[in-house]
Amino acid sequence: MKRSTLEFRNLVKEKIVRCVLKNAVRKGDTRILCPCLNCENLEKVLTPDVCVDHLVLRGFVKDYTRWIFHGEPIGISGIEIGRQETREDVNDDDDIKRDRIDSLIDVVQVNFEDEPCVLERLLSDAKKPLYPNCDRFTRLSAVMNLMSLKVENRLSDKSFTALLELLDDMLPEGHVLPKSTYEAKKVMCPIGYDNEKIHACPKDCILYRKKYKDLHKCPKCGTSRYRVKDKDGSCEKKEGSPAKVVWYLPIIPRFKRFFANVNETKKLRWHSEMRKKDGKLRHPADAPQWRTIDRMFPEFGKDCRNLRLGLCTDGMNPFSTLSSQHSTWPVLLCIYNLPPYLCMKRKYLMLLLLIQGPKQPGNDIDVFLEPLIDDLRLFVDEGVMVYDAVAKEDFKLHAILLCTINDFYAYGNLSGYSVKGKKSCPICDQGTIAPWLTYSGKNVYTNYRRFLRRNHPYRRMKKAFNGTVENKMAPIPLEEDEVFQQVKDINVFYGKPNRFEKNAKYKKRSIF
């Protein structure tokens, strides 16, 4: 259709007035970004009539098929522009480089409706050649590869700036590579993961979020939220640095990025579409636990894109010393939908929480898991709308926690079960057999031959074990109602009292 015809003018006017202007009025404005060939949706905010004139005279900006600047939602946002240019120059046999490109030039699932300038700058960097006539790297892909090199080799900001300055002298004139670490990070900022810095009570009583967000002292123990108090000893004013901080990296935007990438989405569907199904246990999808969940929740199991997750946590000393005076707890998440050779790769292990020390959280770790539990409840109860790059559609993603991975003591912290004493086995419960060693002064748990099948040869061995034949059978696991009856009257109080409070309670009990 020619732009000079009256039919074209009426069609454009009708489209702008009915769709674009309607979205602008909803946001409290009567002007819109002009999508003509010269204005290119950048900074010129004009009236609809002027926009119609521009479009008739100049035509639409090239490749503007999804109206993201005029109210149409972003189905897949990010940097697919420039992906083909970069991928064409990657050798198919170079698996390491191809995986690096896949992980770096990822599709970013960010809502830019309120920040069109950020999206425009990001797309511009993805299309802009690194230097004139360069067809191998764009400005964005070059910065992403260099930042990946910085992370993998643990380069300091000073060293990385020196590298960029050296490359500035090597590259031809007219290149657009940043000259400092600060400028490189500004290019990467829209692609970075969001994180939440949550203040916590120093005694692990609460997190200062939701109803406690604006408090300056803990409502349970009265401890100040900040390190520095007022001159009179109170903590009414917001002053000083927080006494304790928890870092939380939300999982929802990270899952959206996974599914917005075609290659990653295919890997997340591998367990259903490409797994070998011959009755042998090669993947968690072959286990009875996986099939039990599909049977109990058929709607969840119907869609192979729904995620099964594993939670991993334990204490560590981040300062690489032999001292045990500091304990920081990272909380990781692994995805079992992936092929077995990728489940535990560093690329797919997601850091969710970083609980700073110096003391371990212990049973109070439930307080720090609140943000993660809220997101997991959202995935279970309502689901999250996610764009599938393979099916090219939006769908409602659900996820469940399939298992936890930890040692026995961390298991006790996560579950709240006592892992010390005679009844420390959560499976055997009251049927735990734990002989006491008088000279060692501890319980030992050695009677686990009863979990073997009835005719197993180990049951008849005497010398290799404790000198007796094992005839006992494994205890029957408790049902849901039996577990509830045991824990229904337990009152949990989070927080760590100080030494004086402990001594006072002990004296009070000893007197009476």
Side-chain angles (χ1 to χ4, degrees):
M1 184 183 299
K2 294 184 179 180
R3 298 198 309 270
S4 59
T5 62
L6 182 61
E7 184 180 0
F8 178 83
R9 184 181 185 90
N10 294 336
L11 183 62
V12 171
K13 188 174 182 180
E14 181 181 359
K15 183 71 175 178
I16 291 178
V17 171
R18 289 192 178 183
C19 300
V20 180
L21 185 59
K22 182 179 179 181
N23 180 72
V25 171
R26 189 168 60 248
K27 293 185 177 181
D29 198 356
T30 58
R31 299 180 301 169
I32 60 176
L33 290 170
C34 181
C36 76
L37 191 60
N38 288 2
C39 297
E40 294 184 342
N41 296 310
L42 293 179
E43 298 180 358
K44 292 187 178 181
V45 184
L46 307 174
T47 61
D49 293 336
V50 176
C51 288
V52 171
D53 294 337
H54 282 199
L55 293 173
V56 171
L57 294 174
R58 305 166 183 170
F60 283 92
V61 63
K62 187 178 179 181
D63 297 330
Y64 186 49
T65 57
R66 186 180 291 273
W67 285 48
I68 57 176
F69 300 106
H70 299 89
E72 188 171 355
I74 305 174
I76 79 176
S77 61
I79 319 154
E80 282 198 323
I81 299 174
R83 173 183 290 275
Q84 287 78 12
E85 298 176 5
T86 310
R87 293 281 297 178
E88 288 175 359
D89 298 320
V90 179
N91 189 355
D92 292 338
D93 297 330
D94 194 350
D95 294 335
I96 297 177
K97 188 173 182 180
R98 184 170 65 251
D99 290 342
R100 179 177 298 171
I101 295 297
D102 287 341
S103 61
L104 291 177
I105 308 180
D106 203 347
V107 181
V108 184
Q109 185 71 23
V110 183
N111 187 1
F112 287 110
E113 290 182 359
D114 297 329
E115 301 177 279
C117 295
V118 176
L119 177 61
E120 186 67 26
R121 179 169 59 84
L122 199 61
L123 296 178
S124 175
D125 290 340
K127 294 186 290 185
K128 187 181 299 181
L130 181 60
Y131 53 85
N133 300 323
C134 175
D135 57 355
R136 184 174 178 82
F137 290 102
T138 63
R139 185 172 191 255
L140 185 61
S141 64
V143 173
M144 296 178 96
N145 278 278
L146 288 172
M147 291 296 289
S148 175
L149 184 69
K150 176 183 185 300
V151 173
E152 291 176 0
N153 295 278
R154 301 180 181 181
L155 297 179
S156 64
D157 289 354
K158 184 178 180 181
S159 303
F160 191 64
T161 299
L163 175 63
L164 292 176
E165 292 175 352
L166 180 61
L167 291 175
D168 179 40
D169 296 334
M170 293 181 175
L171 292 174
E173 294 184 2
H175 73 85
V176 291
L177 188 70
K179 300 180 182 180
S180 65
T181 304
Y182 174 74
E183 294 179 6
K185 288 182 177 180
K186 284 186 66 176
V187 174
M188 298 286 293
C189 274
I191 309 175
Y193 289 116
D194 295 331
N195 63 77
E196 299 179 16
K197 182 180 179 182
I198 306 174
H199 297 180
C201 173
K203 296 182 180 180
D204 302 342
C205 300
I206 62 164
L207 294 181
Y208 289 97
R209 59 191 297 267
K210 293 185 176 180
K211 62 179 181 180
Y212 302 128
K213 182 178 181 180
D214 299 325
L215 298 183
H216 299 313
K217 62 180 179 180
C218 178
K220 297 185 178 181
C221 66
T223 307
S224 173
R225 177 177 180 172
Y226 304 98
R227 295 181 184 275
V228 180
K229 298 182 180 181
D230 296 337
K231 296 181 180 180
D232 57 353
S234 64
C235 48
E236 293 298 328
K237 296 182 179 180
K238 182 177 179 180
E239 184 178 348
S241 59
K244 190 166 185 176
V245 172
V246 179
W247 295 91
Y248 176 56
L249 286 76
I251 59 176
I252 294 177
R254 303 169 84 173
F255 287 153
K256 287 184 177 181
R257 295 190 185 192
F258 268 119
F259 281 98
N261 186 315
V262 175
N263 295 326
E264 302 300 339
T265 304
K266 291 179 180 179
K267 295 174 184 176
L268 292 172
R269 301 159 70 118
W270 179 91
H271 69 94
S272 175
E273 299 176 352
M274 291 175 281
R275 175 173 57 92
K276 187 176 181 180
K277 303 175 183 178
D278 57 358
K280 296 182 180 180
L281 185 61
R282 291 189 174 93
H283 187 268
D286 300 318
Q289 184 179 2
W290 193 289
R291 295 193 296 270
T292 301
I293 292 174
D294 290 344
R295 185 177 65 254
M296 295 177 62
F297 308 100
E299 291 297 326
F300 178 86
K302 187 183 300 182
D303 195 340
C304 66
R305 296 172 293 188
N306 291 331
L307 300 177
R308 273 86 164 177
L309 309 173
L311 185 72
C312 323
T313 184
D314 203 355
M316 57 170 287
N317 190 340
F319 304 111
S320 301
T321 62
L322 298 178
S323 173
S324 60
Q325 298 300 314
H326 193 101
S327 181
T328 295
W329 283 60
V331 180
L332 307 176
L333 201 68
C334 59
I335 306 173
Y336 285 120
N337 294 51
L338 295 167
Y341 57 89
L342 293 178
C343 286
M344 296 299 169
K345 291 292 185 180
R346 183 175 65 175
K347 175 182 175 180
Y348 298 101
L349 286 176
M350 302 166 57
L351 177 65
L352 303 179
L353 284 164
L354 191 64
I355 306 172
Q356 294 184 350
K359 296 181 180 180
Q360 63 177 356
N363 291 336
D364 299 327
I365 194 172
D366 292 355
V367 174
F368 301 101
L369 292 175
E370 284 182 4
L372 174 61
I373 293 173
D374 290 344
D375 283 350
L376 289 177
R377 282 180 175 173
L378 179 62
F379 274 112
V380 172
D381 297 337
E382 302 177 12
V384 177
M385 292 303 299
V386 174
Y387 179 79
D388 185 345
V390 173
K392 299 187 183 303
E393 64 179 7
D394 292 328
F395 76 102
K396 188 163 285 189
L397 175 66
H398 295 269
I400 62 169
L401 192 63
L402 186 69
C403 65
T404 60
I405 305 173
N406 40 257
D407 59 18
F408 201 49
Y409 289 105
Y411 172 84
N413 297 142
L414 288 172
S415 65
Y417 191 88
S418 176
V419 294
K420 300 178 181 178
K422 295 182 178 181
K423 310 297 181 184
S424 62
C425 178
I427 305 300
C428 301
D429 195 46
Q430 298 299 321
T432 305
I433 301 175
W436 175 262
L437 299 182
T438 304
Y439 295 102
S440 299
K442 59 183 179 181
N443 293 98
V444 293
Y445 312 94
T446 58
N447 295 73
Y448 284 99
R449 285 185 292 168
R450 55 183 176 161
F451 286 92
L452 300 173
R453 66 177 186 270
R454 189 66 177 172
N455 60 345
H456 199 283
Y458 283 1
R459 283 179 170 269
R460 298 188 297 273
M461 291 183 180
K462 295 182 180 181
K463 294 183 179 180
F465 294 96
N466 57 358
T468 61
V469 176
E470 183 60 71
N471 294 317
K472 297 184 179 70
M473 297 300 295
I476 300 175
L478 298 178
E479 298 292 338
E480 298 176 357
D481 296 337
E482 295 175 329
V483 175
F484 176 73
Q485 291 300 323
Q486 290 188 6
V487 302
K488 66 178 182 178
D489 296 327
I490 295 178
N491 294 321
V492 180
F493 299 96
Y494 296 114
K496 296 178 175 62
N498 56 35
R499 188 176 302 174
F500 175 78
E501 292 173 346
K502 286 184 177 180
N503 294 336
K505 292 180 180 179
Y506 176 76
K507 290 179 181 180
K508 185 175 181 180
R509 287 196 300 268
S510 63
I511 293 174
F512 295 100

